Amino acid sequence: MPRESLIKRAGNEHSGAKCFLISGSIWFALGTLAGLGSAIHLVAPDFFANISWLEFGRIRQVHVNTVLFGFVVSMLIGCALYILPRVLATKLYSERMAVLASIALNLAITIGDIGLMMGLTQGREYAEYIFPSDVLVVLAFALLGICFIMTIVRRTEPLLYVSSWYFVGAILWTIVMYPLGNVMWHPATGAESGVIDAIFLWFYGHNIFGLLVTPLAVGIAYYMFPRIAGAPLYSQILSIIGFWSLLLFYTHIGAHHLIQAPIPTWLKTVSIIDSYAMMLPVATVLINQWYTARGRFNKFLVNPAAKLMFIGTIWYAIVCVQGPLQSLASVQRVTHFNNWVIGHAHIAVLGFTGFIALGGMYYVLPYISGRKIYSEKLINVQYWLLLLGLVDFFIVLTAAGLIQGQDWLHGATVYRTVPMMKPYMTLRLMGGLLIISGAFIGLYNVIMTFHRGEQIQL
Ligand code: HEM
Ligand code: HEM
């Protein structure tokens, strides 16, 4: 295709959302494949012997970063790019800027992943990508920040519906948090040293979930609940309390990852207290959304996009009951450093934000493509594959974590514990295959929707 026509097409309505949603679907499939690579290692450690780029230490990092930034972040932003102009009754400030942001983010992930497979890592969880990728991520968010703010400035709807608060908050917080957490003033290492570095990292590490993917997912759910229920939002006040209390409490809780580390005790105490205080913003969101749907839950079961999104809010409730519990020092003596936390991570990132991202994508896809979803049946198949795979992960990893934790607490040798993990890791591998199948079926459905979906006038 000639260059000019591509540039022209980048300015078309919804091209930004399309780029983010299609990239998100592709990274979902690739990122879970890297998860499969990691899971195989834990069942058969010699399976990829002598293939350096597939070593556990490398492919695990590829998996985590790709599903986080490639799948969840991209897909949520794709939905936000469609929803923000709708709730503000205006056009997106610049489609080209949004497309450029998607290109920058995709480049960041590609360079970052290739670097990780070559062994180039900054070695800090969720901040492993090397400096050039960090620069591209910041560029992507800066472009999105301008785009979102200018759309608000030009809006014709005076009321700022709660979704727009969450979307703009997520982007602006990330512009500040990402360079801080990645210690970008030390480009070579991306790190400070010692305990200070750990505090910096986990300030960022938990905020990337709490102040980026959570507000994006919550903003999407706030848009979809009233539309699908066909009812007004239960309470505007609750939605604003939820927004500000999220900002107030979440920013302090990163230290709950360091309860077992030699950081100041006051910092641990604040992080535990605020982990419990987090129940306030979470409760406001869930009460508000579920009460909006009250008496109309059947509408959420017949629409596959709504079903995915609704189940995402149920995972959110489970994650946020488990979260405060596992921030207690007494509980962490058993649950820290083992598969319990991996279970929490998967139900949080895939169950809560991933399910809402997918629900949001299927909801907005017809509006941005002008076509019906190619196959609603395939969404249902994907839904069941993901749900069964994730329930498997949750049960198996939680049980495995409790065994590991109890053994460690009682001083059992790892030679006794490690072989006991084999059946659990095998069951996780099987659950993973269900999730991967779901990811590829979803990708097929998205591609076919753009190519073969029945055209509609919306
Ligand atoms: C009330 C809300 C929440 C609380 C209090 C909470 C608490 C915690 C705690 C204490 C840990 C560390 C456990 C340990 O290392 O022993 C943790 C880990 C984690 N949480 Fe949450 N959580 C909450 C919600 C969420 C949400 C909404 C997400 C994602 C959207 C999330 C994603 C994660 C991830 C990915 C980890 C693993 C971090 C690692 O790699 O070690 N959490 N959470
Ligand atoms: C889109 C879906 C998925 C998401 C969002 C996701 C997310 C994550 C996250 C955040 C972590 C880091 C957890 C931590 O350090 O606490 C992780 C680790 C991991 N994931 Fe996934 N994952 C997904 C799918 C899969 C699949 C399908 C498999 C297996 C086939 C898998 C296997 C693994 C493995 C083996 C680890 C490393 C566990 C360890 O270090 O012991 N994941 N994943």
Side-chain angles (χ1 to χ4, degrees), residues 26-38:
I26 296 173
W27 288 123
F28 185 20
L30 296 180
T32 47
L33 266 190
L36 176 68
S38 321

PDB file of all heavy atoms in Angstrom, residues 26-38:
ATOM      1  N   ILE A  26      -3.245  -9.915  19.193  1.00  0.00           N
ATOM      2  CA  ILE A  26      -2.050 -10.654  18.739  1.00  0.00           C
ATOM      3  C   ILE A  26      -1.117 -10.951  19.929  1.00  0.00           C
ATOM      4  O   ILE A  26      -0.669 -12.074  20.127  1.00  0.00           O
ATOM      5  CB  ILE A  26      -1.294  -9.851  17.650  1.00  0.00           C
ATOM      6  CG1 ILE A  26      -2.181  -9.693  16.413  1.00  0.00           C
ATOM      7  CG2 ILE A  26       0.029 -10.519  17.286  1.00  0.00           C
ATOM      8  CD1 ILE A  26      -1.627  -8.774  15.330  1.00  0.00           C
ATOM      9  N   TRP A  27      -0.896  -9.920  20.761  1.00  0.00           N
ATOM     10  CA  TRP A  27      -0.001 -10.130  21.913  1.00  0.00           C
ATOM     11  C   TRP A  27      -0.602 -11.124  22.896  1.00  0.00           C
ATOM     12  O   TRP A  27       0.126 -11.834  23.599  1.00  0.00           O
ATOM     13  CB  TRP A  27       0.296  -8.796  22.622  1.00  0.00           C
ATOM     14  CG  TRP A  27       1.194  -7.858  21.873  1.00  0.00           C
ATOM     15  CD1 TRP A  27       0.900  -6.576  21.503  1.00  0.00           C
ATOM     16  CD2 TRP A  27       2.535  -8.095  21.403  1.00  0.00           C
ATOM     17  NE1 TRP A  27       1.964  -6.008  20.841  1.00  0.00           N
ATOM     18  CE2 TRP A  27       2.986  -6.917  20.759  1.00  0.00           C
ATOM     19  CE3 TRP A  27       3.400  -9.185  21.450  1.00  0.00           C
ATOM     20  CZ2 TRP A  27       4.258  -6.801  20.189  1.00  0.00           C
ATOM     21  CZ3 TRP A  27       4.659  -9.066  20.874  1.00  0.00           C
ATOM     22  CH2 TRP A  27       5.073  -7.894  20.256  1.00  0.00           C
ATOM     23  N   PHE A  28      -1.927 -11.178  22.986  1.00  0.00           N
ATOM     24  CA  PHE A  28      -2.578 -12.148  23.879  1.00  0.00           C
ATOM     25  C   PHE A  28      -2.134 -13.557  23.477  1.00  0.00           C
ATOM     26  O   PHE A  28      -1.712 -14.366  24.324  1.00  0.00           O
ATOM     27  CB  PHE A  28      -4.103 -11.989  23.746  1.00  0.00           C
ATOM     28  CG  PHE A  28      -4.934 -12.839  24.687  1.00  0.00           C
ATOM     29  CD1 PHE A  28      -4.406 -13.374  25.844  1.00  0.00           C
ATOM     30  CD2 PHE A  28      -6.282 -13.083  24.412  1.00  0.00           C
ATOM     31  CE1 PHE A  28      -5.184 -14.139  26.713  1.00  0.00           C
ATOM     32  CE2 PHE A  28      -7.070 -13.843  25.263  1.00  0.00           C
ATOM     33  CZ  PHE A  28      -6.516 -14.375  26.407  1.00  0.00           C
ATOM     34  N   ALA A  29      -2.198 -13.833  22.163  1.00  0.00           N
ATOM     35  CA  ALA A  29      -1.819 -15.171  21.689  1.00  0.00           C
ATOM     36  C   ALA A  29      -0.317 -15.412  21.907  1.00  0.00           C
ATOM     37  O   ALA A  29       0.085 -16.455  22.438  1.00  0.00           O
ATOM     38  CB  ALA A  29      -2.187 -15.309  20.208  1.00  0.00           C
ATOM     39  N   LEU A  30       0.520 -14.431  21.540  1.00  0.00           N
ATOM     40  CA  LEU A  30       1.977 -14.635  21.665  1.00  0.00           C
ATOM     41  C   LEU A  30       2.412 -14.696  23.139  1.00  0.00           C
ATOM     42  O   LEU A  30       3.260 -15.509  23.523  1.00  0.00           O
ATOM     43  CB  LEU A  30       2.731 -13.507  20.946  1.00  0.00           C
ATOM     44  CG  LEU A  30       2.525 -13.435  19.422  1.00  0.00           C
ATOM     45  CD1 LEU A  30       3.319 -12.278  18.820  1.00  0.00           C
ATOM     46  CD2 LEU A  30       2.941 -14.754  18.761  1.00  0.00           C
ATOM     47  N   GLY A  31       1.810 -13.830  23.948  1.00  0.00           N
ATOM     48  CA  GLY A  31       2.194 -13.770  25.370  1.00  0.00           C
ATOM     49  C   GLY A  31       1.846 -15.055  26.110  1.00  0.00           C
ATOM     50  O   GLY A  31       2.616 -15.524  26.959  1.00  0.00           O
ATOM     51  N   THR A  32       0.687 -15.650  25.783  1.00  0.00           N
ATOM     52  CA  THR A  32       0.330 -16.898  26.468  1.00  0.00           C
ATOM     53  C   THR A  32       1.223 -18.046  25.976  1.00  0.00           C
ATOM     54  O   THR A  32       1.520 -18.964  26.725  1.00  0.00           O
ATOM     55  CB  THR A  32      -1.156 -17.255  26.274  1.00  0.00           C
ATOM     56  OG1 THR A  32      -1.476 -17.115  24.903  1.00  0.00           O
ATOM     57  CG2 THR A  32      -2.076 -16.399  27.082  1.00  0.00           C
ATOM     58  N   LEU A  33       1.668 -17.972  24.702  1.00  0.00           N
ATOM     59  CA  LEU A  33       2.609 -18.992  24.214  1.00  0.00           C
ATOM     60  C   LEU A  33       3.894 -18.959  25.045  1.00  0.00           C
ATOM     61  O   LEU A  33       4.445 -20.007  25.389  1.00  0.00           O
ATOM     62  CB  LEU A  33       2.983 -18.721  22.750  1.00  0.00           C
ATOM     63  CG  LEU A  33       2.182 -19.429  21.667  1.00  0.00           C
ATOM     64  CD1 LEU A  33       2.857 -19.225  20.316  1.00  0.00           C
ATOM     65  CD2 LEU A  33       2.036 -20.926  21.950  1.00  0.00           C
ATOM     66  N   ALA A  34       4.360 -17.726  25.366  1.00  0.00           N
ATOM     67  CA  ALA A  34       5.560 -17.610  26.206  1.00  0.00           C
ATOM     68  C   ALA A  34       5.261 -18.170  27.608  1.00  0.00           C
ATOM     69  O   ALA A  34       6.139 -18.757  28.253  1.00  0.00           O
ATOM     70  CB  ALA A  34       6.008 -16.159  26.283  1.00  0.00           C
ATOM     71  N   GLY A  35       4.000 -18.016  28.064  1.00  0.00           N
ATOM     72  CA  GLY A  35       3.595 -18.608  29.352  1.00  0.00           C
ATOM     73  C   GLY A  35       3.689 -20.125  29.271  1.00  0.00           C
ATOM     74  O   GLY A  35       4.131 -20.789  30.213  1.00  0.00           O
ATOM     75  N   LEU A  36       3.303 -20.670  28.121  1.00  0.00           N
ATOM     76  CA  LEU A  36       3.377 -22.119  27.925  1.00  0.00           C
ATOM     77  C   LEU A  36       4.835 -22.574  28.032  1.00  0.00           C
ATOM     78  O   LEU A  36       5.138 -23.576  28.697  1.00  0.00           O
ATOM     79  CB  LEU A  36       2.813 -22.483  26.541  1.00  0.00           C
ATOM     80  CG  LEU A  36       2.900 -23.955  26.150  1.00  0.00           C
ATOM     81  CD1 LEU A  36       1.987 -24.791  27.025  1.00  0.00           C
ATOM     82  CD2 LEU A  36       2.526 -24.163  24.686  1.00  0.00           C
ATOM     83  N   GLY A  37       5.729 -21.803  27.384  1.00  0.00           N
ATOM     84  CA  GLY A  37       7.162 -22.125  27.462  1.00  0.00           C
ATOM     85  C   GLY A  37       7.609 -22.191  28.917  1.00  0.00           C
ATOM     86  O   GLY A  37       8.277 -23.144  29.338  1.00  0.00           O
ATOM     87  N   SER A  38       7.189 -21.182  29.716  1.00  0.00           N
ATOM     88  CA  SER A  38       7.599 -21.154  31.130  1.00  0.00           C
ATOM     89  C   SER A  38       7.002 -22.348  31.879  1.00  0.00           C
ATOM     90  O   SER A  38       7.669 -22.966  32.718  1.00  0.00           O
ATOM     91  CB  SER A  38       7.115 -19.875  31.812  1.00  0.00           C
ATOM     92  OG  SER A  38       7.227 -18.773  30.963  1.00  0.00           O
TER      93      SER A  38
END
